[in-house]
Amino acid sequence: MCVLKRPYDKKDVFGAFLVKNASFSKGIYDMPIVSSNISALPKTLIPYNTSLNKKSVVKSTAALHFYVYDYLFDGRFGVWNTLISGTEYKKGFCLKRLEDYGCLIAPDYSLYLDMPVEWQIWNTYRNRVVTFALQELGYSVIPSVRWSDTKSFAFCFEGIKQNSIVSVGSYGCSKTIADKLLFEIGLEELIKRLNPSTILFYGSLSNKCKEILSEHQQKHLLFKPNVAPTQTGRIIRGEGVLSWE
């Protein structure tokens, strides 16, 4: 496993060195291009904020995820500043916490409906940068996808290669009818634009989401919070959908 390296140029406060080896999307937002680099699908998901307490977990078959409040992995001592500064913080983000897991799911920076679009673009960019940087450090990482409303479709899928394995946090995305509808519209847009080989969901799926997945014969894994899969996966006859239920 590679170690975190300090940038040689201390004037690089934007972290350009993190993507010096990256290719960039042809869209208008110049997102670093990323794709899943895992060797096997995870059997369980472990949240970042409780990872230190999971002593009995078989880490080699688990994925560490960041579907938690942003303040638990971001901020002054969070993952972004750690990578930018090349310094790990004793009371903050530590690469050692990521070790031994079969793979990681990229940090899921929030995109809120009432968040200025500029912030949403910035959080999408940070998602791609961190995904790429962690892979450069030697970690196996699944890109995460997040959208807000239909305006975010202009940038929220950019930078992720087609046919990649991707992950989506659906937990808490159906609090209102409007939220539910936007999530369903975004899911169909994700499938059309990225044609992912497999989608990992953390949360739950509405009947409409299940219909969309079935119509597109989209392979997926569903992980419910605090509930381990009861079986190793199966193909649902006639739908071509790999799912944990």
Side-chain angles (χ1 to χ4, degrees):
M1 187 64 65
C2 298
V3 296
L4 190 65
K5 296 180 180 180
R6 290 174 177 271
Y8 294 109
D9 183 3
K10 298 300 182 183
K11 296 179 181 179
D12 183 9
V13 296
F14 302 108
F17 73 96
L18 293 174
V19 289
K20 66 179 181 180
N21 296 323
S23 298
F24 293 86
S25 62
K26 295 181 180 180
I28 65 174
Y29 296 102
D30 292 327
M31 297 289 181
I33 297 175
V34 296
S35 179
S36 173
N37 66 340
I38 68 172
S39 58
L41 292 169
K43 293 184 177 180
T44 187
L45 304 187
I46 304 299
Y48 169 76
N49 62 313
T50 64
S51 59
L52 294 180
N53 301 324
K54 301 293 184 180
K55 304 298 183 181
S56 61
V57 170
V58 181
K59 292 184 177 181
S60 61
T61 60
L64 187 71
H65 73 82
F66 293 81
Y67 294 122
V68 296
Y69 290 114
D70 289 40
Y71 75 86
L72 293 172
F73 65 85
D74 198 20
R76 181 181 178 186
F77 303 115
V79 56
W80 179 255
N81 282 347
T82 292
L83 293 173
I84 290 290
S85 66
T87 302
E88 296 185 78
Y89 302 100
K90 292 182 179 179
K91 295 183 179 180
F93 183 78
C94 177
L95 287 172
K96 187 174 180 60
R97 185 180 290 193
L98 312 182
E99 293 179 0
D100 302 324
Y101 283 93
C103 62
L104 313 173
I105 293 176
D108 182 57
Y109 293 99
S110 294
L111 302 186
Y112 295 115
L113 289 172
D114 58 353
M115 179 184 284
V117 175
E118 290 83 357
W119 288 5
Q120 295 186 46
I121 297 170
W122 171 240
N123 274 353
T124 302
Y125 175 77
R126 289 201 297 163
N127 170 283
R128 306 294 187 267
V129 172
V130 172
T131 302
F132 181 82
L134 289 175
Q135 289 181 342
E136 285 281 277
L137 287 170
Y139 295 93
S140 298
V141 187
I142 300 172
S144 60
V145 187
R146 172 68 61 181
W147 58 89
S148 55
D149 55 17
T150 55
K151 290 186 294 185
S152 71
F153 295 172
F155 54 84
C156 68
F157 306 114
E158 192 170 318
I160 297 179
K161 285 185 179 180
Q162 288 201 347
N163 307 123
S164 172
I165 299 169
V166 299
S167 183
V168 174
S170 59
Y171 186 64
C173 291
S174 299
K175 293 182 178 180
T176 67
I177 294 177
D179 290 339
K180 182 179 179 180
L181 179 60
L182 285 172
F183 185 82
E184 292 165 351
I185 293 172
L187 174 59
E188 186 146 34
E189 193 71 17
L190 182 158
I191 294 171
K192 289 179 178 178
R193 295 199 185 204
L194 300 182
N195 189 31
S197 59
T198 304
I199 304 175
L200 275 64
F201 290 97
Y202 177 77
S204 60
L205 294 173
S206 67
N207 288 333
K208 179 61 178 178
C209 284
K210 293 176 182 178
E211 289 177 9
I212 292 170
L213 293 167
S214 177
E215 288 170 2
H216 291 275
Q217 296 188 339
Q218 176 62 61
K219 293 181 180 179
H220 68 280
L221 300 176
L222 175 60
F223 294 90
K224 297 181 180 179
N226 302 318
V227 179
T230 57
Q231 53 188 36
T232 57
R234 63 187 178 88
I235 299 295
I236 298 179
R237 189 180 302 278
E239 297 180 356
V241 177
L242 176 64
S243 82
W244 259 299
E245 297 182 326

Tab-separated table of all heavy atoms in Angstrom, residues 89-122:
chain	number	residue	atom	x	y	z
A	89	TYR	N	-3.939	13.610	10.217
A	89	TYR	CA	-4.219	14.233	11.501
A	89	TYR	C	-4.568	13.169	12.549
A	89	TYR	O	-5.343	12.250	12.277
A	89	TYR	CB	-5.387	15.220	11.357
A	89	TYR	CG	-5.117	16.302	10.334
A	89	TYR	CD1	-5.638	16.211	9.053
A	89	TYR	CD2	-4.322	17.394	10.654
A	89	TYR	CE1	-5.392	17.192	8.102
A	89	TYR	CE2	-4.067	18.392	9.716
A	89	TYR	CZ	-4.596	18.284	8.443
A	89	TYR	OH	-4.346	19.252	7.511
A	90	LYS	N	-3.986	13.313	13.725
A	90	LYS	CA	-4.208	12.334	14.788
A	90	LYS	C	-5.678	12.210	15.154
A	90	LYS	O	-6.166	11.129	15.461
A	90	LYS	CB	-3.393	12.720	16.028
A	90	LYS	CG	-1.879	12.602	15.845
A	90	LYS	CD	-1.152	12.965	17.119
A	90	LYS	CE	0.357	12.831	16.937
A	90	LYS	NZ	1.084	13.197	18.174
A	91	LYS	N	-6.399	13.330	15.141
A	91	LYS	CA	-7.807	13.315	15.518
A	91	LYS	C	-8.724	13.417	14.301
A	91	LYS	O	-9.905	13.674	14.440
A	91	LYS	CB	-8.096	14.470	16.482
A	91	LYS	CG	-7.372	14.348	17.818
A	91	LYS	CD	-7.769	15.472	18.745
A	91	LYS	CE	-7.075	15.340	20.103
A	91	LYS	NZ	-7.458	16.428	21.030
A	92	GLY	N	-8.164	13.213	13.123
A	92	GLY	CA	-8.969	13.335	11.915
A	92	GLY	C	-8.808	12.160	10.988
A	92	GLY	O	-8.691	11.014	11.425
A	93	PHE	N	-8.794	12.439	9.706
A	93	PHE	CA	-8.720	11.395	8.698
A	93	PHE	C	-7.367	10.704	8.733
A	93	PHE	O	-6.329	11.338	8.832
A	93	PHE	CB	-8.950	11.996	7.313
A	93	PHE	CG	-8.967	10.981	6.207
A	93	PHE	CD1	-10.084	10.206	5.984
A	93	PHE	CD2	-7.849	10.793	5.416
A	93	PHE	CE1	-10.105	9.267	4.966
A	93	PHE	CE2	-7.857	9.857	4.400
A	93	PHE	CZ	-8.989	9.092	4.173
A	94	CYS	N	-7.401	9.392	8.644
A	94	CYS	CA	-6.177	8.601	8.698
A	94	CYS	C	-6.274	7.475	7.674
A	94	CYS	O	-7.249	6.716	7.669
A	94	CYS	CB	-5.981	8.033	10.102
A	94	CYS	SG	-4.534	6.970	10.264
A	95	LEU	N	-5.285	7.382	6.814
A	95	LEU	CA	-5.305	6.343	5.785
A	95	LEU	C	-5.296	4.939	6.384
A	95	LEU	O	-5.829	4.006	5.792
A	95	LEU	CB	-4.100	6.508	4.849
A	95	LEU	CG	-4.165	7.684	3.865
A	95	LEU	CD1	-2.834	7.847	3.153
A	95	LEU	CD2	-5.278	7.482	2.855
A	96	LYS	N	-4.714	4.813	7.563
A	96	LYS	CA	-4.632	3.498	8.193
A	96	LYS	C	-6.022	2.912	8.420
A	96	LYS	O	-6.208	1.691	8.408
A	96	LYS	CB	-3.880	3.588	9.522
A	96	LYS	CG	-3.604	2.229	10.174
A	96	LYS	CD	-2.722	2.380	11.405
A	96	LYS	CE	-2.455	1.034	12.051
A	96	LYS	NZ	-1.775	0.098	11.139
A	97	ARG	N	-7.026	3.783	8.611
A	97	ARG	CA	-8.395	3.325	8.830
A	97	ARG	C	-8.949	2.623	7.589
A	97	ARG	O	-9.889	1.836	7.673
A	97	ARG	CB	-9.287	4.519	9.198
A	97	ARG	CG	-10.697	4.144	9.568
A	97	ARG	CD	-11.535	5.351	9.919
A	97	ARG	NE	-11.135	5.956	11.169
A	97	ARG	CZ	-11.865	6.868	11.832
A	97	ARG	NH1	-13.028	7.242	11.347
A	97	ARG	NH2	-11.426	7.397	12.942
A	98	LEU	N	-8.362	2.911	6.423
A	98	LEU	CA	-8.855	2.345	5.172
A	98	LEU	C	-8.228	1.000	4.845
A	98	LEU	O	-8.723	0.277	3.967
A	98	LEU	CB	-8.566	3.305	4.011
A	98	LEU	CG	-8.936	4.778	4.191
A	98	LEU	CD1	-8.618	5.550	2.918
A	98	LEU	CD2	-10.402	4.945	4.574
A	99	GLU	N	-7.155	0.672	5.527
A	99	GLU	CA	-6.398	-0.520	5.183
A	99	GLU	C	-7.159	-1.810	5.500
A	99	GLU	O	-8.015	-1.850	6.381
A	99	GLU	CB	-5.050	-0.508	5.911
A	99	GLU	CG	-4.135	0.605	5.435
A	99	GLU	CD	-2.814	0.621	6.171
A	99	GLU	OE1	-2.615	-0.235	7.055
A	99	GLU	OE2	-1.983	1.504	5.867
A	100	ASP	N	-6.828	-2.833	4.768
A	100	ASP	CA	-7.337	-4.195	4.951
A	100	ASP	C	-8.744	-4.412	4.419
A	100	ASP	O	-9.220	-5.557	4.360
A	100	ASP	CB	-7.293	-4.622	6.430
A	100	ASP	CG	-5.881	-4.561	7.006
A	100	ASP	OD1	-4.939	-4.861	6.253
A	100	ASP	OD2	-5.750	-4.207	8.196
A	101	TYR	N	-9.444	-3.329	4.025
A	101	TYR	CA	-10.769	-3.514	3.431
A	101	TYR	C	-10.623	-3.979	1.982
A	101	TYR	O	-9.682	-3.589	1.281
A	101	TYR	CB	-11.588	-2.222	3.481
A	101	TYR	CG	-12.151	-1.947	4.856
A	101	TYR	CD1	-11.467	-1.149	5.759
A	101	TYR	CD2	-13.357	-2.511	5.261
A	101	TYR	CE1	-11.962	-0.922	7.038
A	101	TYR	CE2	-13.862	-2.289	6.535
A	101	TYR	CZ	-13.161	-1.495	7.415
A	101	TYR	OH	-13.652	-1.275	8.682
A	102	GLY	N	-11.575	-4.792	1.549
A	102	GLY	CA	-11.521	-5.278	0.179
A	102	GLY	C	-11.561	-4.141	-0.827
A	102	GLY	O	-10.898	-4.180	-1.861
A	103	CYS	N	-12.337	-3.100	-0.491
A	103	CYS	CA	-12.400	-1.924	-1.354
A	103	CYS	C	-13.017	-0.761	-0.581
A	103	CYS	O	-13.487	-0.929	0.551
A	103	CYS	CB	-13.202	-2.205	-2.623
A	103	CYS	SG	-14.939	-2.631	-2.344
A	104	LEU	N	-13.015	0.390	-1.193
A	104	LEU	CA	-13.607	1.590	-0.627
A	104	LEU	C	-14.676	2.098	-1.577
A	104	LEU	O	-14.584	1.886	-2.792
A	104	LEU	CB	-12.557	2.697	-0.446
A	104	LEU	CG	-11.230	2.330	0.208
A	104	LEU	CD1	-10.285	3.531	0.139
A	104	LEU	CD2	-11.448	1.900	1.643
A	105	ILE	N	-15.693	2.742	-1.031
A	105	ILE	CA	-16.644	3.492	-1.850
A	105	ILE	C	-16.281	4.958	-1.683
A	105	ILE	O	-16.132	5.444	-0.563
A	105	ILE	CB	-18.094	3.227	-1.420
A	105	ILE	CG1	-18.455	1.763	-1.730
A	105	ILE	CG2	-19.052	4.174	-2.144
A	105	ILE	CD1	-19.829	1.356	-1.259
A	106	ALA	N	-16.096	5.646	-2.771
A	106	ALA	CA	-15.592	7.017	-2.733
A	106	ALA	C	-16.444	7.920	-1.843
A	106	ALA	O	-17.667	7.757	-1.787
A	106	ALA	CB	-15.544	7.594	-4.145
A	107	PRO	N	-15.828	8.864	-1.134
A	107	PRO	CA	-16.572	9.802	-0.295
A	107	PRO	C	-17.717	10.461	-1.053
A	107	PRO	O	-17.555	10.929	-2.182
A	107	PRO	CB	-15.500	10.825	0.110
A	107	PRO	CG	-14.246	10.012	0.152
A	107	PRO	CD	-14.372	9.059	-1.005
A	108	ASP	N	-18.865	10.475	-0.404
A	108	ASP	CA	-20.097	10.950	-1.020
A	108	ASP	C	-20.389	12.366	-0.537
A	108	ASP	O	-21.174	12.573	0.385
A	108	ASP	CB	-21.243	9.999	-0.642
A	108	ASP	CG	-22.565	10.393	-1.275
A	108	ASP	OD1	-22.604	10.489	-2.503
A	108	ASP	OD2	-23.538	10.604	-0.529
A	109	TYR	N	-19.747	13.353	-1.169
A	109	TYR	CA	-19.989	14.744	-0.785
A	109	TYR	C	-21.417	15.132	-1.160
A	109	TYR	O	-21.880	14.847	-2.255
A	109	TYR	CB	-18.992	15.666	-1.489
A	109	TYR	CG	-17.564	15.469	-1.038
A	109	TYR	CD1	-16.682	14.696	-1.781
A	109	TYR	CD2	-17.110	16.051	0.141
A	109	TYR	CE1	-15.370	14.498	-1.371
A	109	TYR	CE2	-15.802	15.869	0.564
A	109	TYR	CZ	-14.931	15.092	-0.189
A	109	TYR	OH	-13.647	14.899	0.238
A	110	SER	N	-22.092	15.804	-0.261
A	110	SER	CA	-23.517	16.076	-0.426
A	110	SER	C	-23.825	17.063	-1.543
A	110	SER	O	-23.059	18.000	-1.801
A	110	SER	CB	-24.100	16.619	0.880
A	110	SER	OG	-24.056	15.635	1.892
A	111	LEU	N	-24.956	16.835	-2.200
A	111	LEU	CA	-25.538	17.784	-3.151
A	111	LEU	C	-26.965	18.033	-2.689
A	111	LEU	O	-27.848	17.203	-2.906
A	111	LEU	CB	-25.550	17.217	-4.583
A	111	LEU	CG	-24.231	16.789	-5.219
A	111	LEU	CD1	-24.474	16.411	-6.688
A	111	LEU	CD2	-23.182	17.869	-5.130
A	112	TYR	N	-27.182	19.165	-2.029
A	112	TYR	CA	-28.514	19.488	-1.530
A	112	TYR	C	-29.283	20.335	-2.540
A	112	TYR	O	-28.684	21.113	-3.297
A	112	TYR	CB	-28.421	20.238	-0.198
A	112	TYR	CG	-27.838	19.421	0.931
A	112	TYR	CD1	-26.620	19.771	1.510
A	112	TYR	CD2	-28.500	18.303	1.414
A	112	TYR	CE1	-26.078	19.015	2.558
A	112	TYR	CE2	-27.976	17.550	2.454
A	112	TYR	CZ	-26.761	17.925	3.016
A	112	TYR	OH	-26.236	17.173	4.038
A	113	LEU	N	-30.591	20.210	-2.529
A	113	LEU	CA	-31.422	20.971	-3.458
A	113	LEU	C	-31.272	22.474	-3.259
A	113	LEU	O	-31.346	23.247	-4.218
A	113	LEU	CB	-32.891	20.565	-3.297
A	113	LEU	CG	-33.265	19.173	-3.815
A	113	LEU	CD1	-34.691	18.838	-3.404
A	113	LEU	CD2	-33.112	19.097	-5.315
A	114	ASP	N	-31.075	22.910	-2.007
A	114	ASP	CA	-30.957	24.341	-1.742
A	114	ASP	C	-29.505	24.804	-1.713
A	114	ASP	O	-29.205	25.925	-1.314
A	114	ASP	CB	-31.647	24.705	-0.426
A	114	ASP	CG	-31.081	23.942	0.774
A	114	ASP	OD1	-30.251	23.033	0.568
A	114	ASP	OD2	-31.484	24.257	1.914
A	115	MET	N	-28.579	23.957	-2.151
A	115	MET	CA	-27.164	24.301	-2.201
A	115	MET	C	-26.878	25.031	-3.518
A	115	MET	O	-27.364	24.610	-4.573
A	115	MET	CB	-26.318	23.029	-2.116
A	115	MET	CG	-24.825	23.240	-2.184
A	115	MET	SD	-23.939	21.636	-2.180
A	115	MET	CE	-24.086	21.187	-0.434
A	116	PRO	N	-26.128	26.148	-3.488
A	116	PRO	CA	-25.778	26.826	-4.741
A	116	PRO	C	-25.136	25.852	-5.723
A	116	PRO	O	-24.384	24.957	-5.327
A	116	PRO	CB	-24.769	27.896	-4.286
A	116	PRO	CG	-25.142	28.170	-2.864
A	116	PRO	CD	-25.583	26.845	-2.311
A	117	VAL	N	-25.453	26.009	-7.001
A	117	VAL	CA	-24.950	25.092	-8.023
A	117	VAL	C	-23.426	25.038	-8.011
A	117	VAL	O	-22.823	23.983	-8.222
A	117	VAL	CB	-25.462	25.512	-9.417
A	117	VAL	CG1	-24.831	24.640	-10.504
A	117	VAL	CG2	-26.974	25.396	-9.479
A	118	GLU	N	-22.775	26.179	-7.743
A	118	GLU	CA	-21.314	26.206	-7.709
A	118	GLU	C	-20.772	25.239	-6.652
A	118	GLU	O	-19.757	24.565	-6.878
A	118	GLU	CB	-20.809	27.629	-7.411
A	118	GLU	CG	-21.013	28.615	-8.533
A	118	GLU	CD	-22.419	29.208	-8.530
A	118	GLU	OE1	-23.245	28.787	-7.675
A	118	GLU	OE2	-22.692	30.086	-9.375
A	119	TRP	N	-21.428	25.165	-5.514
A	119	TRP	CA	-21.010	24.234	-4.461
A	119	TRP	C	-21.224	22.798	-4.901
A	119	TRP	O	-20.412	21.915	-4.595
A	119	TRP	CB	-21.789	24.512	-3.182
A	119	TRP	CG	-21.400	25.763	-2.472
A	119	TRP	CD1	-20.495	26.707	-2.895
A	119	TRP	CD2	-21.914	26.233	-1.226
A	119	TRP	NE1	-20.422	27.739	-1.995
A	119	TRP	CE2	-21.283	27.467	-0.958
A	119	TRP	CE3	-22.848	25.742	-0.323
A	119	TRP	CZ2	-21.555	28.208	0.193
A	119	TRP	CZ3	-23.125	26.484	0.817
A	119	TRP	CH2	-22.478	27.694	1.076
A	120	GLN	N	-22.329	22.565	-5.585
A	120	GLN	CA	-22.609	21.216	-6.053
A	120	GLN	C	-21.553	20.748	-7.056
A	120	GLN	O	-21.105	19.596	-7.014
A	120	GLN	CB	-24.003	21.155	-6.701
A	120	GLN	CG	-25.146	21.428	-5.729
A	120	GLN	CD	-26.499	21.204	-6.370
A	120	GLN	OE1	-26.726	20.207	-7.041
A	120	GLN	NE2	-27.419	22.135	-6.171
A	121	ILE	N	-21.156	21.636	-7.949
A	121	ILE	CA	-20.104	21.298	-8.917
A	121	ILE	C	-18.793	21.032	-8.179
A	121	ILE	O	-18.069	20.079	-8.493
A	121	ILE	CB	-19.924	22.432	-9.942
A	121	ILE	CG1	-21.206	22.612	-10.760
A	121	ILE	CG2	-18.740	22.149	-10.861
A	121	ILE	CD1	-21.203	23.853	-11.629
A	122	TRP	N	-18.491	21.857	-7.193
A	122	TRP	CA	-17.271	21.700	-6.405
A	122	TRP	C	-17.254	20.363	-5.670
A	122	TRP	O	-16.237	19.657	-5.664
A	122	TRP	CB	-17.151	22.855	-5.418
A	122	TRP	CG	-16.067	22.740	-4.377
A	122	TRP	CD1	-16.236	22.725	-3.027
A	122	TRP	CD2	-14.657	22.654	-4.596
A	122	TRP	NE1	-15.032	22.628	-2.388
A	122	TRP	CE2	-14.027	22.580	-3.310
A	122	TRP	CE3	-13.853	22.623	-5.724
A	122	TRP	CZ2	-12.653	22.479	-3.148
A	122	TRP	CZ3	-12.463	22.523	-5.567
A	122	TRP	CH2	-11.892	22.452	-4.292
